[in-house]
Amino acid sequence: MKKKNELLYFALRNTKLRIGMAVLLFFLLLMIIGPHLTPYKPADFVGPSSAPPSKEFWFGTTTFGEDVFTQFVYGLAPTFLVGIVGGVIGTLLGMLIGFVAGYRGGAVDEVLNILTNVVLTIPVLALLLVLVAYIPVRGVLIEAVFIGLTSWPWAARAIRSQTFSLRTRDFVGLAKMSGMSSMKIIFTEIAPNMASYLFMTFILMFGNSILNAATLDFLGLGPTEGVSMGTMMNLAVQWSALMLGVWWWFIPPGIAITCIVGSLYVMNVGLDEVFNPKLREM
Amino acid sequence: APAAVEYPRNETLYTSGTQWGAPSSWNPLNGGGYATGTIGLVYETLFIYDPLADKFTPYLAESANWTDATTYEVKIRQGVKWTNGQPLTADDVKFTFDIANPNGDTKAGLGYSALWKFLDNIEIKDANTVVFKFKENPAYQEIGFYFYFAPILNKAIWSKMKLEDITGGANKNPVGTGPYKFQAADQDRMVWVRNDAWWGKDVFGKLPAPKYIVDIVNGSNNVALGKMLQGGLDLSNNFLPGVASLVNGGYGIKTYYKEAPYMLSANVASLLINEQKKPMDDVKFRTALAWMININDIVEKDYTGIVKAADPTGLLPIWDKYIDKDQVKELGWSYDPEKAKKILADAGYKDVDGDKFLEAPDGSKIALKVTCPSGWTDWMAAIQIISRDAKAIGLNIEPDYPDYGPWRDAQLKGTFDLTLQNEAQMSSTVWSYYSWIFQNPLDKIATAQYGNYGRYDNKEAFALVDQLDKVKLGDDAAIKEITTKLQKITMTEMPTIPLWYNGLWAQYNESVWTNWPSADGENHALPAMWRGYVNMSGIQMLLNLEPAAKK
Amino acid sequence: MLKIEDITKTYKTGTFGGKDLKAVKNVSFDIHDGEIVSLIGESGSGKSTIGKMILRLISTTSGKIYFNDKDVSLLKDSELKEYYRHVQGVFQDPFSTYNPIFKADRIFSVLHEEFFPHIPASEWKGRVDTALKSVGMNPAHVLNKFPHQLSGGQLQRFLIARALLLDTKFLVADEIISMLDASTRIDVLNLLSDLRSKGLSVLFITHDLSLGYYISERAVILYKGSVVEIGETKKIFDNPVHPYTRMLMSCVPRLDKKWQDVEVELTEKKPMTANGCVFYERCHSEYKLDECAHQSPALVEVEPNHSVACVCCKG
Amino acid sequence: MKRYFGRKLLIYALTFFIAVTINWMIPRFMPGNPVDIMISRAGLRGSAVTQMYSYYMDAFGLDQPIWKQYLNFWIAIFHGDLGTSIFLFPTPVIQVIKDALPYDVALLLPSILLSWFAGNKFGALAARNKNLDNTLLPIGYILTAVPYMWLGILLAWVFCIVIRIFPLGGGYDFSMQPSYTWDFYWSLFNHWVLPFLSLFIVQFGGWAIGMRNLIIYELEADYSHFLEALGAPRKLIRNYAYNNAILPQVTGVALQIGVIVTGALATEVVFAYPGIGYLILQAIHNQDYFLLQGCFLFVVIGVLIANFVVDIAYILIDPRTRAGMTGGAE
Amino acid sequence: MSLKIENLTIYYQTIAGNVRALEDASFSLADGEIMGVAGESGCGKSTLSNSLIYLHAPMKYIRGRVFLDGEELPIHDTQKMNPFRYKKISVIPQYAMNAMNPTKKIGRMVEDLLKSRGENYKEILPEVKNRLELVKLSPDVLNMYPFELSGGMKQRMVMVISTLLDPSLLLADEVTSALDVSSQKAVAEMLVGFRDKKIVKSIMLITHDISILYQTANTIMVMYAGQLAEKASTETIIKAPRHPYTKLLISSLPTVGVRISENRLAGIPGNPPLLLNPPTGCRFRDRCPVAFAKCAEVPPFVEIEKGHFLACWKEGKAHA
Ligand SMILES: Nc1ncnc2c1ncn2[C@@H]1O[C@H](COP(=O)(O)OP(=O)(O)OP(=O)(O)O)[C@@H](O)[C@H]1O
Ligand SMILES: Nc1ncnc2c1ncn2[C@@H]1O[C@H](COP(=O)(O)OP(=O)(O)OP(=O)(O)O)[C@@H](O)[C@H]1O
Ligand SMILES: [Mg+2]
Ligand SMILES: [Mg+2]
């Protein structure tokens, strides 16, 4: 009990965590209430072409006269979705492979290790570009799944080595002597011990998924429907928004991605400080 | 180390917008892939065709005439030299056409091989005269098309080549008769240097003003526009969205017209309809589609006014003279959703199951996709508008953006519902447009079909297109008569729905070169380096250019 | 009850698994009902390895371990679970034996779940309380606490209580008191001894001879994975024969006698002679012979219930 | 040592094998026939279509049984033949890549190495200076979180359009021909700067943060405390911490290479810089399967080589692995 | 009088409050003296030793003064302490196994360390080799990395490093705990040797293993829960302890020759108090068999006999 309170105390006191959390919450909130703040739909041609920000169109309009603010708030959801789905899949895969490799050791470890190395050395996003280019219909979800499926190796590696050191701990031996099955030991004894680590892994995956998705979207290989921060940037660039001075179309999505991903990274460091007493500032 | 070779700004014309990948072939027979300018700057054709004036100008040919209904005598221009010093001969011309003969010795499959459908043989009358002997009843329209299309080759060089080199070789050392010679090429550029010994110097009284032409490989619109703004690009044949605001914004950027649509019309973007699928096989349904599309939104919102709405006949402005205006008034359409609704209601389309979408008269659900390749942003916006308008009258039509490959595949295999296409380009003959719509025969459609992707079947129309093909060049009355019938078919049967005319995208910067083509100036050439356009008066544009410094 | 026959354990070591390390070499001994046997040796001599092999936490490379005449290595799922009902272990570091993020008494509820799911919770609680009391703890004081809120001695007693909850017949106690304070050590030791009187057998692993002597009937002295001396504890202590045992004896810090001025040869990372006596390099015995370098001596009984593996007592 | 290299080689070989196989599968299991596309691009009609269709099918070996195509593919690879580009027909893919490769090397190597050095130095600096840590580090976080291409576009806009101090597009000035002159090098440099910067800046942030965190860990390590207790000056302790923290950063490079390659891809697109990344996108948009295969293969090879170099480098600089492999003390 | 400590009080700052790990410790250490510090885990032994050389957060200096060779040590001032460290006072830390930079050759690290302290490595090198010989290490270890050494070797290497500058006081915290009986003996004897060879003047040897202290120390100081309990010559502490805690502690130690069947030893009932909110007065009160009302006050640590200090109301009074 005491320990948890202590973590909470440090978590609440940690500036990095607080700032990161605040930024993230802000965007989450915007994602939720944003669509209610705007009377338009993202693909509606509602205003004059390329109008600068004004009272009516807070972030201005696109070349087509779409409301940038509307696109922006609607685009947040896919962005978070990619982050979460990609992050969850990546983390789960990383956990599964990391745990099994680390816990089992021996030949299983060897094989999984090679698999990890293979996926790690294949330039994943290049592969992703190639694969994604051929999928007939592309949705945010498929994109997210793809990203998740290819982003696990580093996590698997890290989790494996953690598991490796944990599995020799005596409490694992005790669990074995209590007749627990391997899977049960992994998930009830080892995993909870790495909870903070896994959480941080997820956060990094979350951020990376968003960045990867933005790159795909930007290259025109993102979802073919709906708006996301990446597709907004893609369209803005295709329609020469910056060159034509329509900066309001191009800047907000970039800032949003930077802020969201940045806040995740900052939170990660903050969490590290919370979980690791040595790094705490007294 | 060699000294730095530089192209002085005031002697160099920078162009872009044609070459989409590193220049990799200088083979004029490689229709889709030769480096910008290979035909036109280096290789020349017997004629050039000026669509704005609707005029064939003898070019490598000095003159030509039909001595009888099946005999075409072409006089080769005197004093034309290949850049390797050899003179151009009748042999070269004969050779050029002979290799494309499917029954000849070489049997190269070339863009103008189809000429041999009508051609019997080629004879050399004298050193300067070539006689083309046609079979009975030749298709004059198509023949004219091939004559300004086929690049004349140097027999001495090409006759030594193997078939695969003729059709697919890179021809890295192009020897032509044109005003420019190969200078250098790299992944991102193609450099031509002027051929000061060009025959045109005497004929036109001048050489093209730019000593060098540097064609920049397209990066992205963004980069092209950036370079344009930096003044590093004289002619951009890119589709640059938003250029309207630049033309009026004091950036020194000019277009053919001073106001909307700014650009000449180059091709027609049509809604292709798969007539083999329900309910698109119902002409009423197709008609309703035509009435429901708010083309103005596409023109104004999507294209910010740089394109023009298409005439219901789909005929480009250069073919305006063939349009039967009264008939258009009677049979044509415009945006009227109420009318579209009524047509559908009358035809028995109603919402049976209460999902706010209409069902077909037989009660089956209608759920269609209208497609365009992912990443083609202007078209993506256009089909969004179409989908929106369709939903407004109760038709469930969703936009869909497959990648180019699957999209193209669906056309070739005829598996799409509705899609956009703009293959029908400006050409020397209106036949090219109708043959694209009514491509026949249906049963023999190859996978690499060109046209009629919706598999529209109409014997009468097919016959009319054949008849049109055989009209003599310049016989406008006959053309008008036949096309009036075809216009009627297209407007009542709706094999496709013409939507808007894509522009001959051309933006120029006058800081170094002036006297660009414009509606209000004297230069009425086509401002394009696009493939197939240099020999459609694009070369004229070059000849007309003047250095800005002179002023 | 437990019979160890000629077991060997080879580890793969080196950064990339290139080398073999024989941690245990052909060790045989047995433990009878209600007996405490000490396994004594320096760090790295393979004591824990033997303990873990008995507990099936690691596999044997060769040799057999029999529990009540059953080959332990052949046990599968339910049989293995049954085995763990009777054979349990307690380890050196009480803090690492507990999962730090759970309350310490989770070890009891896990047992409940795994072995006695049919017993109602209330009855189980009663059993836990009884077990805790029998190891001298007040359940009210120690339950519902995190490991770091309990002392090492308490945690070790928890583990012993855990063994009591099962039908434990045999306990591997691996250095269970070396991390404990002097004052708590003796309590845990006494507790072990009390359990013996309830019929429990214990393999008591330690590097401290005084502890082995204090508690066990028999002792096994291990050096570099090999048994060098084995027999009744009293006999070994009163009459240590093997030079290694003697050296160990001389090094034990005692409260009654100051260290003699005997040179200690330190265990450096010295290469071992391939076939010779394991102790050859460190041996200063007057009996040291040249042949010791080539030939490892077998265990020889020097008196009843006391065997030594040294040339000095050949015949 | 042998075993270690044996295993590494196995992994590399396997990766290569899998990558090449994926590579081969790409054009075969994707919708659309590349030959159809070639033909429709050439605008052929009538009998010319069938004629050229069979000609190209034969030329690309697509008319052979699938297993044979696979075999041929491998044989061709070992002959350095990656087929012919469709989009840049008739240029051999290998030639296309050869032309683009120097640009990638010029972009990637310096950006990786320089950002690594600068980032590490900066991170170390931040770890020892509270003010720096508090003010400049957030910037580091922001930099790592910036999407590469977005930064690229901003740079292009500011430096090419607004203040016009750098050219936009291409590998060197369009008014030049390659030559061994200073002017030419200067031009190369000018075109290189912005793409380089956009890669450099983002990576720089990542390394700086990584280093800062690692150093803080090292400063809490026992050996640091021991030195402190013996009154060693902070400078020495930090030097040690830095030298130890650099080790995981080396392995970090290997992990990062794939990511950076992708980043380079986006950057090249933004600046129309004629590298492989740009080619990949063009190949995708033009269904140039063979070019795509070739590019991907080269990226894989590049990444494998880079990883191998990092592996070796790591062995050389970390005494623990070095001794472990040569048999060291034991 | 080598070391003299007056009322040294050190707390740990935690969010839950101050952990009162060392309270009013006053004692002294003579030249040539090896003083063993014994006591249960958590009683403040390491705190005492660490505070003398490197007092850092979360440790907090509360009060007290420390004199070494007559000079006051500014222990609460990290900066001012630096000149004293290593040269006057040095430490073999509890974590000796990890005390050396894992990626530097040991010789290199020693060189760096010495240079940074303004010493000339070249001049000292022969002495380094001497010392290595003293602890039975070959000079080759200077060319090795720490991971190439066994635990015992590392321990001895750190011993050599720590004492290179002949400090006046050496703090040795649990230096034998992780070692085998044989290495334990060797290391302990080497420490004594260092003192005998006057390499160090006096040693504070911290361990919970009293039998080791019996073998090596001149005096033993017993601590309990952050307070000093008793300090006397080794013989006195082992044979005639006065503090009830010491008595119980000594009587619970098994030693060779004792068998459970013959002589069942007994432990000390109860647990030491938490130092976050320790009981007032004598902290052993709750577990003490002879505690009485007076024990609610903190007993002073007084000299009851020559060299025998004690903090107990009962025992102390009886002989005062
Ligand atoms: N998992 C392992 N992998 C490789 N070697 C190991 C492993 N576990 C133990 N060893 C080695 O086997 C030998 C015996 O180890 P073991 O733990 O059994 O010794 P021990 O007698 O219990 O020592 P200690 O008193 O230090 O616990 C040692 O040299 C050790 O380094
Ligand atoms: N960093 C810290 N933060 C809070 N409390 C601490 C910290 N370090 C030690 N303590 C507390 O201070 C008290 C004394 O600790 P110290 O390490 O001095 O004990 P010790 O006698 O050396 O014990 P051991 O024998 O286990 O090393 C203990 O109660 C401990 O819980
Ligand atoms: Mg052990
Ligand atoms: Mg301590």
Side-chain angles (χ1 to χ4, degrees), chain D:
Chain D
M1 190 86 168
K2 240 193 200 157
R3 213 184 120 89
Y4 175 78
F5 277 108
R7 244 176 63 164
K8 277 279 170 218
L9 278 179
L10 175 74
I11 289 170
Y12 284 120
L14 211 73
T15 313
F16 184 69
F17 173 77
I18 292 174
V20 169
T21 303
I22 293 175
N23 222 338
W24 172 82
M25 278 159 45
I26 290 167
R28 275 147 195 98
F29 296 103
M30 302 302 173
N33 181 342
V35 173
D36 279 348
I37 290 161
M38 283 195 72
I39 289 181
S40 76
R41 265 165 46 110
L44 295 182
R45 296 173 196 203
S47 62
V49 172
T50 33
Q51 212 176 328
M52 292 322 289
Y53 186 82
S54 53
Y55 170 69
Y56 283 129
M57 286 299 277
D58 182 56
F60 291 124
L62 292 174
D63 48 356
Q64 289 180 322
I66 205 94
W67 63 269
K68 190 124 192 246
Q69 293 187 28
Y70 185 58
L71 207 71
N72 287 344
F73 183 64
W74 273 105
I75 294 171
I77 281 184
F78 285 112
H79 285 97
D81 175 10
L82 299 175
T84 307
S85 165
I86 295 174
F87 164 57
L88 300 176
F89 193 81
T91 322
V93 167
I94 194 91
Q95 183 61 44
V96 178
I97 292 173
K98 256 189 211 153
D99 289 343
L101 204 58
Y103 290 102
D104 282 283
V105 174
L107 209 52
L108 285 172
L109 264 191
S111 81
I112 292 174
L113 294 181
L114 290 177
S115 68
W116 193 81
F117 280 114
N120 281 331
K121 285 277 176 234
F122 179 83
L125 220 65
R128 60 185 78 161
N129 184 325
K130 197 108 211 129
N131 286 332
L132 209 60
D133 199 26
N134 286 337
T135 52
L136 290 178
L137 213 74
I139 297 176
Y141 288 116
I142 292 173
L143 290 184
T144 25
V146 170
Y148 282 102
M149 58 279 174
W150 192 65
L151 183 69
I153 300 265
L154 287 183
L155 288 175
W157 180 53
V158 171
F159 292 105
C160 303
I161 305 299
V162 179
I163 50 177
R164 297 200 185 188
I165 53 172
F166 287 110
L168 182 60
Y172 53 93
D173 201 282
F174 287 104
S175 71
M176 284 196 171
Q177 274 246 110
S179 60
Y180 303 104
T181 57
W182 288 116
D183 278 355
F184 180 69
Y185 293 133
W186 177 244
S187 179
L188 273 179
F189 175 77
N190 263 332
H191 283 76
W192 168 87
V193 168
L194 289 182
F196 162 78
L197 269 185
S198 71
L199 284 178
F200 173 84
I201 290 174
V202 176
Q203 291 177 63
F204 171 81
W207 295 127
I209 287 171
M211 190 59 179
R212 176 236 178 222
N213 293 344
L214 284 169
I215 289 233
I216 287 179
Y217 267 99
E218 290 294 333
L219 288 178
E220 288 300 325
D222 285 338
Y223 72 87
S224 299
H225 284 310
F226 182 51
L227 287 174
E228 273 175 333
L230 294 188
R234 292 196 74 73
K235 189 160 164 258
L236 178 70
I237 298 167
R238 279 175 189 142
N239 275 346
Y240 276 19
Y242 180 80
N243 288 335
N244 289 345
I246 213 91
L247 295 174
Q249 290 287 78
V250 170
T251 13
V253 172
L255 286 174
Q256 277 290 305
I257 286 168
V259 179
I260 302 166
V261 165
T262 314
L265 206 144
T267 307
E268 286 171 13
V269 171
V270 166
F271 290 96
Y273 199 70
I276 286 182
Y278 181 54
L279 276 183
I280 288 183
L281 199 74
Q282 297 237 321
I284 287 175
H285 285 324
N286 290 284
Q287 316 315 117
D288 190 343
Y289 306 97
F290 300 101
L291 182 55
L292 200 53
Q293 279 182 359
C295 291
F296 185 66
L297 192 72
F298 257 76
V299 174
V300 170
I301 291 174
V303 170
L304 289 184
I305 291 176
N307 267 286
F308 191 72
V309 170
V310 171
D311 275 345
I312 303 284
Y314 191 80
I315 292 165
L316 293 183
I317 59 172
D318 190 338
R320 283 165 293 197
T321 47
R322 200 189 325 142
M325 276 191 314
T326 48
E330 265 159 292

Side-chain angles (χ1 to χ4, degrees), chain A residues 1-4 168-181 184 188-194, chain C residues 55 57 81 84 88-89 91 93 96-102 106-107 110-111 113-115 146 148 159 162:
Chain A
M1 246 26 262
K2 199 183 113 214
K3 204 171 163 191
K4 271 185 197 151
T168 55
R169 294 272 279 276
D170 289 336
F171 65 79
V172 172
L174 195 74
K176 280 189 193 163
M177 290 190 300
S178 303
M180 281 163 87
S181 67
K184 197 164 173 190
T188 62
E189 300 286 334
I190 293 180
N193 255 293
M194 295 163 52
Chain C
L55 291 170
L57 296 178
K81 219 163 173 173
Y84 283 139
Q88 282 291 330
F91 303 117
D93 180 357
S96 111
T97 314
Y98 289 81
N99 201 334
I101 57 166
F102 295 122
R106 187 177 120 96
I107 60 165
V110 166
L111 278 197
E113 255 172 60
E114 293 289 335
F115 289 103
F146 281 96
H148 66 266
L159 288 172
R162 173 179 168 280

Side-chain angles (χ1 to χ4, degrees), chain C residues 11-13 21 23 42-49 92 175:
Chain C
Y11 285 116
K12 292 242 174 282
T13 59
L21 185 137
E42 284 174 310
S43 175
S45 55
K47 309 182 296 286
S48 301
T49 304
Q92 178 169 19
E175 309 241 20

